[in-house]
Amino acid sequence: MAETSSAAHLDPQALAPLNELTVSNGGGTPTGGSRPPSPSPPKIQREESKTLRKAGPKTDKLLSDLYVDVCGSENVRPNSIAMELFQCDPRAVLELDFSDNYLGDRGAKAICQLLRQMPMVQKVNMRGNGMRDARGHSGGGSVLCLCQQLSGHPQIRWLDVSDNEINDKQGGEALYQLVTNNHLISDLKCDGTRMSADLKTRILDTVKANRENAPKSIRRHAYETQSSHMVSGRRTGTTSKATK
């Protein structure tokens, strides 16, 4: 792995093992599926210690440890690529991208249950993962879990749940309540779902109002203006992006 240079002063005691990481998973590993070819080597950039201090007290567990705990409680096999990507301090993650990874509803739910453990995450992309409303799960499916985890989240700004099985009842209404209660969500993508045009319009109008009523200081997403730790399990391309 190659570490990029940084002009900022770094405090090794406060840093996460990884900060900037975007990697192709070489074809994706649906939960319980066969292991894909090894991913390309990721590039990393470490987080500034002041950002981690802002995120709260340091935890003794890496994000991968928390993920294993959740998978155990849900009786789900951990996704091999997620395990590799989650080797970091959960406080350092600003962006989570598992778009078009075909995790399945149970696999997606396990990842969604980690969102409250990432207090600084601002952008979450779960497009095209077979997410469902509540079928076959006690306590609801991954869509409801996602909404519960992000309700009251102190940093979330951007969310993509397109190309998932989201209906008006339960999932669609949960999304509407989420953007109504959490005014920080100022950008939401929900194309390719089963929601009615009426409900989708209500959701997007609420998101637009959130954006228009947001203070100027947060209208521009923070993930566009500061160093970030991006955790990505996308199926295509291998890139590394450090925002300044």
Side-chain angles (χ1 to χ4, degrees):
M1 294 186 183
E3 183 175 341
T4 59
S5 61
S6 173
H9 173 70
L10 302 178
D11 178 2
Q13 299 300 319
L15 298 178
L18 300 179
N19 172 256
E20 170 71 21
L21 187 153
T22 304
V23 60
S24 166
N25 66 10
T29 307
T31 300
S34 60
R35 185 179 181 87
S38 299
S40 301
K43 296 180 181 179
I44 65 173
Q45 179 178 333
R46 295 185 181 276
E47 183 70 79
E48 293 186 29
S49 58
K50 63 180 181 181
T51 302
L52 292 182
R53 287 197 296 268
K54 181 181 178 181
K58 182 178 180 180
T59 175
D60 292 332
K61 289 190 174 183
L62 297 178
L63 190 55
S64 57
D65 299 326
L66 300 175
Y67 179 56
V68 169
D69 292 344
V70 168
C71 288
S73 65
E74 292 290 325
N75 195 26
V76 173
R77 179 183 175 183
N79 180 286
S80 59
I81 301 302
M83 283 294 297
E84 182 172 345
L85 297 177
F86 286 169
Q87 299 295 318
C88 61
D89 187 328
R91 303 171 305 155
V93 178
L94 299 184
E95 181 173 351
L96 183 69
D97 186 354
F98 274 89
S99 56
D100 301 315
N101 202 54
Y102 310 124
L103 292 166
D105 191 53
R106 291 171 61 86
K109 184 177 180 181
I111 288 178
C112 288
Q113 288 190 61
L114 299 172
L115 291 172
R116 283 187 183 170
Q117 306 293 328
M118 304 178 220
M120 301 300 288
V121 69
Q122 298 161 16
K123 183 175 181 179
V124 175
N125 192 339
M126 295 295 290
R127 172 190 290 267
N129 272 292
M131 299 176 73
R132 295 175 178 265
D133 295 319
R135 300 179 190 176
H137 297 289
S138 59
S142 58
V143 177
L144 295 186
C145 178
L146 174 75
C147 294
Q148 291 165 358
Q149 289 286 314
L150 294 181
S151 180
H153 194 283
Q155 295 293 333
I156 186 65
R157 304 286 194 272
W158 190 99
L159 177 64
D160 190 346
V161 291
S162 302
D163 301 329
N164 288 296
E165 190 174 324
I166 304 175
N167 301 279
D168 279 7
K169 290 186 177 180
Q170 297 181 326
E173 288 295 335
L175 279 174
Y176 177 67
Q177 292 300 320
L178 171 63
V179 298
T180 299
N181 296 330
N182 194 331
H183 302 290
L184 293 174
I185 299 177
S186 57
D187 199 342
L188 172 69
K189 301 182 187 303
C190 55
D191 300 319
T193 67
R194 295 186 177 185
M195 291 187 293
S196 66
D198 178 66
L199 180 56
K200 183 177 177 181
T201 297
R202 287 165 54 203
I203 291 173
L204 295 181
D205 284 349
T206 302
V207 171
K208 181 180 178 182
N210 289 347
R211 183 166 58 249
E212 293 175 346
N213 295 328
K216 291 182 179 180
S217 60
I218 65 171
R219 283 182 186 173
R220 227 184 134 183
H221 299 315
Y223 63 80
E224 295 177 341
T225 59
Q226 60 179 295
S227 297
S228 66
H229 182 161
M230 177 180 178
V231 175
S232 173
R234 296 183 63 185
R235 292 169 60 89
T236 58
T238 301
T239 59
S240 179
K241 177 186 68 175
T243 54
K244 301 298 183 181

